[in-house]
Amino acid sequence: MIRRHPVLSFLLLTLGFSAVFYFLMRGGEARGGIMRYYVTGVMWCPALAALIVQRQVGAGADALGWRFGEMRWWIGAYLVPVLYGLVAYSIIWLSGLGGFPEPAFLVDNAKMVGLPVSPFVASLLMVAVLAGPGVLLSCASALGEELGWRGFLTPRLVARYGYAGGSALVGFIWAAWHVPILFWPKYLGSTPMPFAMACFFVSLIASSFVYTWLRLRSGSVWPAALLHASHNVFIPLVFTPLTIETGERTAYAVDEFGFMLAAVNVGLAFVFWWRRGELPKTAAA
């Protein structure tokens, strides 16, 4: 079964392993407490499935893209979420969909830093910590997903369906895998679930074009893991908390479940699709 249908086997194994954590996470809070360990566990399920399938088909773990690749891809991957976050949230702040900066965020940072500095300086220090050690810690869990989605699945689906088709399909699978997790109370925020889920799916399918491009262009899974980790730090822990609610409309615009990030990611997907000619010829379709 695994040797004849490696992709299907990978998907079934990922679903089976993840189901354990879906069950453990049911009805829990989105963040904090033991939930963070459940989250790390479920994020490593795609990696476990990929390693099992690779071993069975005799491809070896190296085929997942373990090599480090050139540093320029690492730097680019780290900066991409910062750049699209700045674009999306600058539009939100300047248009009045949300305000900037959120005073409570500055005050909380002053308390957490514990130094005799102003809230503004404390916030700069906090962002610096998140941007450095915070991203490194996030990478430890993001790597689990990326070994599966980008290390194993992406090269196979792109080889069969081309760059655009493979990227879109991986993005859809990636988003669908999150669905049981998104039913946690308070995870989706205050917007209607159909709206939040639509924005989330669009955002992940579009951003998959960026992940695919980096994975294939660099020949390494590490830039994808770093991009994932950078996103998981800068979007929910920096840009969203910095945004002041200016009414119900703010919730519809911000975070992974708002329309602004989805719209910016669609534009970014088009940019990387336009650059598909820079990829290996077998992936440029």
Side-chain angles (χ1 to χ4, degrees), residues 13 15 17 69 111 126 143 158 186 203 208 222 250 257-258:
L13 284 170
L15 180 60
F17 296 145
K111 293 178 181 177
M126 181 59 69
L143 179 62
V158 168
K186 302 180 181 179
S203 188
S208 181
W222 288 98
T250 303
F257 309 106

Side-chain angles (χ1 to χ4, degrees), residues 21 27 57 95 103 111 146 148 205 216:
F21 293 97
V57 300
S95 67
K111 293 178 181 177
E146 294 309 317
I205 291 171
L216 299 177

